[in-house]
Amino acid sequence: MSTNQTTPGAVIITGGAHGIGSAYVDRLSADGYAVVIADLDEAGAQAKAKDVAAAGGKALALRTDISVEADVAALITGTVAEFGTVTGLVNNAAVFSVVPMSRGTFAEIELDEWDLMMRVNLRGTWQMCKAVTPHMARNGYGKIVNVSSGTAIKGSAGRIHYVTSKAGILGFTKTLAREVGADGIRVNCVAPGSTLSEENPDERTVEYRKSRVGDRALGRVQMPEDLAGAVSFFISPDSDFVTGQTLVVDGGACMH
Ligand SMILES: NC(=O)c1ccc[n+]([C@@H]2O[C@H](COP(=O)([O-])OP(=O)(O)OC[C@H]3O[C@@H](n4cnc5c(N)ncnc54)[C@H](O)[C@@H]3O)[C@@H](O)[C@H]2O)c1
């Protein structure tokens, strides 16, 4: 069986209806992939799929909660029914801003929110990988991109549950890469810096994002589009001999 993918296939982008995920959808569609927008927000996912189709791409919107096994199974069934198989997966959905997290010290975080964070950000990512890998293994080829955060490398006071979940993604990426390499599946990770991903940011949010600029070698506010090239590379055949890696995309705030 071939281990090289030469024609674009279908890529699932979780959380593709909004924020940074929406920029991944646009870029991967422009790269020639059929895109599957898997999001909690059904109307948002459908609107995004319409935009992709209007721009000449192929898109499928499927309402999905990545933390619910039955939703994940239906997503894979729907994707395979529409596009035949799955070539790529971008595990972008997380509790972050559309599904908001509260801020507080490590002692103030509520138990339910800690559990939600782990259920969506970590267990959801694991469930998605379990569901797509049999299809990729059958093709002898697949690309998975996980999404961590610069905060997992640097630490970030006031949201220990979020940072812990994103730190888990780093080890998850390396371990999964070792387990599925023999099947031709590559698993990499992108760690974004503080990104102005909100669609209608209030002044406080804009000020917060601006306050991160001073940490960077490249001194400007980070936008969703700044991340699209890294994900495009990890999904594309150009990265076929790269696996288990994390690329920090943050304008040079965190150098490791
Ligand atoms: N924006 C930043 O500053 C930043 C920094 C570092 C890492 N990240 C990471 O990048 C990714 C995207 O961030 P963003 O700023 O675009 O977030 P966002 O909150 O703007 O968008 C997240 C998307 O995921 C969807 N979603 C949430 N829970 C879901 C679930 N259970 N099932 C399916 N879909 C779900 C939401 O509806 C939304 O469309 C996240 O993994 C986030 O942790 C963001």
Side-chain angles (χ1 to χ4, degrees), residues 13 16-17 20-30 35 37 48 52:
I13 300 107
I20 304 173
S22 161
Y24 297 151
V25 168
D26 289 338
R27 175 57 186 266
L28 293 170
S29 176
V35 289
I37 303 152
K48 187 71 204 173
V52 170

Side-chain angles (χ1 to χ4, degrees), residues 20 23-24 27-28 31 223-233 249:
I20 304 173
Y24 297 151
R27 175 57 186 266
L28 293 170
D31 287 348
M223 301 304 291
E225 295 70 29
D226 291 318
L227 288 144
V231 166
S232 168
F233 169 68
V249 181

Side-chain angles (χ1 to χ4, degrees), residues 15 18 20 39 64-66 92 94 96-98 162 166 192-193 195 197:
H18 297 285
I20 304 173
D39 205 292
T64 311
D65 181 339
I66 60 161
N92 164 80
F96 184 73
S97 100
V98 172
Y162 173 76
K166 291 294 170 178
T195 304
S197 61

